[in-house]
Amino acid sequence: MSMGGMMKQFHKASQYMSEKMGGESDKTKMDEEFVEMERKVDLMAKAVSEIMTHTKEYLQPNPTTRAKMNMMNISSKIQGKQRDMKYPQTESILADTMLKFGGDLGESSHFGDAMVEVGESLRQLSEIKDSLDVGVKQDFLDPLQQLLDKDIKEVMHHRKKLSGRRLDYDYKRKKGTKVPQEEIVQAEQKLEESLELADMSMFNLLSGDVEQVSQLAALVETQVEYHRQSTDILEALHEKLQERISNINSQPPRERKARQMQAGMMGDTPQDQSPVNTGPSTPKITSDPLPPILPDSLITLTGDAVAKPPQQPSVRGLYLFEAENEGELGFKEGEILTLISQIDENWYEGMNDDGDTGYFPVSFVEVLVPLPN
């Protein structure tokens, strides 16, 4: 910065402190209409920023998952992958549970078949929820971001320049004869130029109501389509379930059959071992080796040897979990994982035997050793 520029900045700072300390009686003031436009622009900038924040919370309500996705997306961009993570919809998680246990119960169970039907419908709901996310981002959030980054940013730039030139003009005007008259005239001309640019940019921004209202209409239209498709899916599912209920009620009730022991299930009891045999018994001498002595921690109440339980926080997979997104940790049914932390009420962070770490849902595992409080 040149010496002249440094002096100008010093003059602005001096005038600013003078106004703060001694009042604003000598300050050049803008007309009421201009001040009202400034107030509305400030409100618009704040509204756009908060609406964008809360719209993202509406689409993706889990704050921990949002933070994890942002971290993964930033990491992918740094690595040059440019891969956006897919938000795990709650409908998808519930669908996986329904489909898992519905399939386990089998086609012979009306409840199992019904769970499969509900799971398939929930998966469809999850897919259209993903479409809602994409639609709202493209038709609502992206235009608002452009408004914030371009139009509002330009207005704020002109207003900041206007404020600086106003301070410079007031400083030189207050000094009077100590400042050459041509410098005062030049400062006044620059102030009028900045005032015109700031006024024009604010007027254009506040005159664009039709664009902002159109963006709100796009948000509502996307939601209407989402709820319409959701209603169609749920109504079709409801009809299937009602038809299934009617079919179950029309069938004759099942009769319970008495269970009988089949021949050969218990085997023949030797007479010399029969509890009703009152004859003398001869002790049987065997040369079989004695069983090994095990520590108490490895012996159950029945005397059977069992595996020593894990000593560190761990879980066992209740059923197969396939990692669909970057950062998740897949595992097989029965696999033991080491617990690292609990992200929230829905997600754990853990590590498998190969040293791979990642996130997995709480509902897919059974806790063997809990995390310390």
Side-chain angles (χ1 to χ4, degrees):
M1 182 181 293
S2 65
M3 181 60 67
M6 292 180 62
M7 291 301 297
K8 183 177 289 188
Q9 293 299 325
F10 175 76
H11 294 163
K12 292 179 183 179
S14 176
Q15 177 65 22
Y16 177 80
M17 293 303 299
S18 176
E19 291 175 357
K20 288 296 182 181
M21 299 296 292
E24 301 181 357
S25 57
D26 295 335
K27 174 182 176 180
T28 300
K29 297 181 180 179
M30 308 301 168
D31 58 60
E32 294 182 358
E33 184 178 356
F34 185 88
V35 174
E36 178 63 15
M37 282 199 300
E38 286 186 312
R39 186 187 70 84
K40 289 183 177 179
V41 167
D42 290 337
L43 280 175
M44 176 178 286
K46 184 176 181 180
V48 170
S49 179
E50 293 199 11
I51 287 173
M52 291 179 62
T53 298
H54 294 300
T55 301
K56 294 174 183 178
E57 293 175 355
Y58 161 71
L59 295 174
Q60 301 175 353
N62 191 319
T64 304
T65 303
R66 287 201 311 272
K68 183 181 74 170
M69 290 176 61
N70 289 334
M71 179 184 66
M72 293 298 180
N73 289 334
I74 292 173
S75 176
S76 298
K77 290 179 181 179
I78 293 175
Q79 298 173 6
K81 296 181 179 179
Q82 296 292 330
R83 175 187 175 187
D84 291 335
M85 286 184 61
K86 183 178 177 182
Y87 183 82
Q89 305 291 355
T90 53
E91 293 87 349
S92 176
I93 297 174
L94 182 56
D96 291 340
T97 304
M98 291 279 189
L99 293 171
K100 160 64 181 174
F101 290 102
D104 289 346
L105 284 174
E107 297 180 356
S108 60
S109 169
H110 292 294
F111 182 41
D113 284 347
M115 278 200 292
V116 170
E117 291 178 346
V118 173
E120 292 173 348
S121 297
L122 286 172
R123 181 159 289 174
Q124 292 178 348
L125 291 176
S126 174
E127 293 173 355
I128 64 172
K129 188 69 173 292
D130 291 336
S131 300
L132 172 67
D133 289 359
V134 174
V136 171
K137 183 179 184 301
Q138 291 178 348
D139 301 333
F140 184 65
L141 290 177
D142 287 350
L144 286 184
Q145 187 66 54
Q146 184 177 5
L147 176 68
L148 197 63
D149 293 342
K150 183 180 178 182
D151 299 340
I152 294 179
K153 185 177 181 180
E154 180 182 355
V155 170
M156 296 305 180
H157 167 73
H158 288 307
R159 287 176 59 187
K160 183 178 180 181
K161 200 165 188 177
L162 172 65
S163 176
R165 289 184 170 180
R166 198 272 307 165
L167 289 171
D168 181 59
Y169 169 71
D170 284 346
Y171 174 82
K172 292 178 179 178
R173 180 174 57 84
K174 185 174 66 174
K175 291 298 181 180
T177 57
K178 295 181 179 180
V179 178
Q181 184 63 28
E182 58 269 18
E183 289 190 16
I184 298 177
V185 173
Q186 185 181 14
E188 184 178 8
Q189 291 174 349
K190 288 184 177 181
L191 175 60
E192 291 176 352
E193 178 187 351
S194 290
L195 177 61
E196 176 66 17
L197 290 173
D199 183 83
M200 182 184 301
S201 62
M202 288 194 297
F203 179 82
N204 292 336
L205 176 65
L206 296 175
S207 299
D209 287 344
V210 63
E211 296 180 9
Q212 281 79 61
V213 175
S214 298
Q215 291 159 6
L216 289 173
L219 170 66
V220 174
E221 182 179 355
T222 306
Q223 290 179 299
V224 168
E225 180 64 18
Y226 162 72
H227 289 294
R228 184 190 64 77
Q229 294 183 18
S230 299
T231 301
D232 292 343
I233 293 172
L234 293 175
E235 285 182 346
L237 173 62
H238 184 260
E239 291 180 3
K240 289 181 180 179
L241 294 177
Q242 291 297 324
E243 183 180 353
R244 183 175 293 277
I245 292 173
S246 300
N247 291 337
I248 294 174
N249 290 332
S250 64
Q251 296 176 1
R254 295 176 58 187
E255 295 183 359
R256 178 179 174 276
K257 297 180 179 180
R259 302 296 177 189
Q260 296 181 354
M261 302 300 295
Q262 298 180 1
M265 289 184 62
M266 297 184 62
D268 298 330
T269 302
Q271 184 178 5
D272 57 349
Q273 296 181 8
S274 173
V276 299
N277 184 10
T278 58
S281 60
T282 303
K284 181 179 179 182
I285 301 176
T286 177
S287 59
D288 295 338
L290 294 174
I293 299 176
L294 299 175
D296 293 340
S297 60
L298 300 183
I299 302 178
T300 63
L301 294 177
T302 59
D304 297 328
V306 297
K308 188 174 182 179
Q311 299 301 315
Q312 56 186 347
S314 57
V315 295
R316 177 189 293 113
L318 292 175
Y319 39 87
L320 175 66
F321 173 67
E322 296 181 353
E324 297 181 354
N325 300 307
E326 185 176 356
E328 294 179 348
L329 179 63
F331 52 82
K332 299 178 181 179
E333 180 180 353
E335 184 176 350
I336 305 297
L337 303 173
T338 300
L339 274 181
I340 297 176
S341 64
Q342 182 165 0
I343 304 303
D344 56 21
E345 66 273 12
N346 297 318
W347 291 88
Y348 279 132
E349 180 183 10
M351 178 176 65
N352 61 19
D353 290 340
D354 295 330
D356 300 325
T357 61
Y359 305 97
F360 51 86
V362 172
S363 59
F364 277 57
V365 296
E366 172 192 11
V367 176
L368 300 178
V369 178
L371 290 164
N373 293 329

